[in-house]
Amino acid sequence: MENLFFYGALAHIPLLETVLDRAVPDGQTMPAVLPDHAVFQVRGAMHLLIVPDDNSMAKGLLVKELTKDDLERLDFYEGGFDYVLRTIQVQTGNGPEMAQAYFPTTSQRRGSPWNLYEWQIKWADLSVLAAQEAMQLFGQITADELARRFPAIRRRAASYLRGQADTRKPAAWSLRSRDDVLVKDSRMAYSNFYAMREYDIRFRQFDGQMSDVLDRASFIGFDVAIVLPYDPVLDRVLLVEQFRLGPFARGAQYPWVLEPVAGHIDLGETPEQAARRETVEEAGLTLSELIPIAQTYPSPGASSEYYHIYLGICDLAGQGGTNRGEVEENEDIHSHILSFDDLMQFVDSGEANILPLVFAANWLARNRDRLRSGA
């Protein structure tokens, strides 16, 4: 049995219980502090840094009598982020206690001071949901591999919570909701950059009866921000060209496609912020205005992926013909400038084979006169 001191997110009991896959009794925990230490967010990351500081006390939670299985699960969850256990002495209401705590093994850039309450408001629900997926991989992959997959796992959790918060009905006549669905069982069949979840599921039919139990699967994608940059003065749009695996996997002879700017929504971003960031990264453009076009599922029968589509007003003078892309994401992107007439010919001929582009181009066709008159 071991006593562990948690000074970060694992001091949040629901997250700790998710990682341990068991309830933690009240008598097994108590508030504690580690004298002469301070806790900071690692700059640009979700994990934490604890450092010696003579004028501070690191507040946390002492959890007593953790088992060998508990420690193995904790090592899996924490180990991929370069943490190791060290023996320390913490102070509790009952006096000093010996314990172990996870300390980083590498130097990392210090960000803002850590505050559990502020973290709980912003990140607790996402972190618990992400941990549920992460711990399903316990015993299947290494801690290092889990750390590599965590950004995608967190994005999936963020997309789920964004969808959960969207209570808009698709139409006034729609009478059924999530309450009319019964999940008998679900399991993550595959989880890496993308994921696939299988369901044994029943839903209420239009005759009022519940369906048979159906074996179904869904591709678990992310929320995506999509922007068609448009210059109403020059009456031109910018499209980006890049290799896409989907057409290649389908057997297409020409897997390089022309499409709008697009990218996943990062943690802590709104769809609008992601749209503006991606437009800078992929096209080098700063938008003067961002106009919502649609929020939509591209393939609801098979995928959870969700599109936030915008028209981005910008200045395209002298733009186009450049190569860009984020090196760490292995992006290789070439930009093209098309007149509005060329864009619509591209769509009408059927050469435009990317749904968001077709959708955005037709929206532009309906609203073009209004946008140009105000330019």
Side-chain angles (χ1 to χ4, degrees):
M1 296 290 186
E2 296 284 354
N3 298 344
L4 260 67
F5 173 70
F6 298 106
Y7 54 82
L10 285 170
H12 180 61
I13 293 292
L15 178 60
L16 179 63
E17 292 181 333
T18 299
V19 172
L20 298 181
D21 194 31
R22 68 173 180 84
V24 178
D26 290 341
Q28 197 176 352
T29 67
M30 63 180 67
V33 296
L34 178 59
D36 302 325
H37 284 78
V39 183
F40 297 88
Q41 191 86 26
V42 173
R43 188 176 301 173
M46 288 285 290
H47 49 287
L48 301 180
L49 177 67
I50 187 167
V51 296
D53 187 326
D54 293 340
N55 300 313
S56 298
M57 286 190 174
K59 296 180 180 179
L61 184 72
L62 179 65
V63 183
K64 308 188 76 172
E65 298 183 346
L66 291 166
T67 67
K68 180 176 181 293
D69 182 65
D70 292 336
L71 293 176
E72 288 176 352
R73 297 180 69 88
L74 288 163
D75 283 344
F76 175 68
Y77 187 78
E78 294 278 48
F81 298 100
D82 293 323
Y83 290 110
V84 294
L85 287 172
R86 292 183 188 172
T87 301
I88 56 170
Q89 181 174 284
V90 297
Q91 295 292 332
T92 73
N94 299 328
E97 293 266 6
M98 298 305 296
Q100 294 193 77
Y102 284 98
F103 280 75
T105 60
T106 57
S107 60
Q108 301 180 68
R109 293 182 300 167
R110 183 184 301 185
S112 58
W114 162 259
N115 181 287
L116 177 62
Y117 177 71
E118 293 176 356
W119 175 89
Q120 287 172 322
I121 293 173
K122 189 172 183 179
W123 298 113
D125 290 345
L126 184 147
S127 296
V128 170
L129 193 59
Q132 290 172 3
E133 178 179 337
M135 295 310 297
Q136 290 179 30
L137 300 170
F138 176 63
Q140 301 178 33
I141 63 174
T142 66
D144 287 340
E145 177 63 18
L146 177 63
R148 188 188 68 79
R149 296 188 190 188
F150 241 119
I153 291 173
R154 289 191 178 108
R155 276 193 186 131
R156 280 192 285 276
S159 294
Y160 183 90
L161 292 175
R162 201 176 288 114
Q164 193 176 54
D166 186 355
T167 58
R168 298 170 300 167
K169 276 189 173 184
W173 40 261
S174 180
L175 300 178
R176 287 167 177 78
S177 72
R178 197 176 185 89
D179 294 335
D180 295 293
V181 182
L182 176 62
V183 178
K184 304 289 289 185
D185 188 27
S186 72
R187 55 214 163 266
M188 198 66 83
Y190 171 81
S191 172
N192 202 322
F193 185 78
Y194 291 119
M196 179 72 70
R197 180 172 285 279
E198 294 179 341
Y199 293 89
D200 297 329
I201 198 165
R202 304 177 71 191
F203 64 88
R204 192 168 305 283
Q205 302 175 137
F206 289 111
D207 63 4
Q209 302 299 311
M210 294 299 289
S211 71
D212 294 335
V213 177
L214 305 174
D215 180 6
R216 294 291 185 265
S218 177
F219 167 82
I220 309 298
F222 312 118
D223 278 24
V224 179
I226 299 172
V227 185
L228 178 62
Y230 174 62
D231 184 332
V233 176
L234 298 179
D235 200 23
R236 295 175 180 173
V237 301
L238 180 142
L239 301 181
V240 294
E241 180 183 7
Q242 58 186 315
F243 170 77
R244 288 303 200 186
L245 184 60
F248 179 83
R250 184 174 176 266
Q253 292 298 311
Y254 303 100
W256 273 257
V257 300
L258 284 176
E259 59 187 352
V261 168
H264 300 137
I265 300 170
D266 285 344
L267 293 187
E269 280 188 320
T270 65
E272 293 82 1
Q273 289 169 335
R276 290 184 180 276
R277 174 183 54 76
E278 287 289 345
T279 306
V280 172
E281 291 176 1
E282 293 194 359
L285 296 174
T286 300
L287 303 175
S288 61
E289 186 178 359
L290 193 64
I291 303 173
I293 293 178
Q295 296 179 344
T296 180
Y297 294 97
S299 183
S303 173
S304 71
E305 197 167 39
Y306 194 72
Y307 290 170
H308 303 259
I309 306 176
Y310 301 93
L311 189 82
I313 303 299
C314 58
D315 180 2
L316 292 179
Q319 299 293 327
T322 59
N323 298 326
R324 303 185 66 88
E326 295 296 296
V327 175
E328 62 270 19
E329 297 179 16
N330 296 304
E331 290 182 331
D332 183 44
I333 298 171
H334 186 76
S335 62
H336 299 261
I337 300 295
L338 277 70
S339 69
F340 173 78
D341 290 340
D342 287 343
L343 171 67
M344 297 314 298
Q345 182 179 357
F346 185 52
V347 170
D348 293 341
S349 68
E351 294 174 90
N353 58 0
I354 304 301
L355 181 61
L357 173 59
V358 175
F359 195 100
N362 282 293
W363 185 93
L364 176 58
R366 293 195 307 273
N367 293 274
R368 171 173 168 250
D369 291 342
R370 173 177 60 83
L371 293 171
R372 298 206 73 198
S373 67

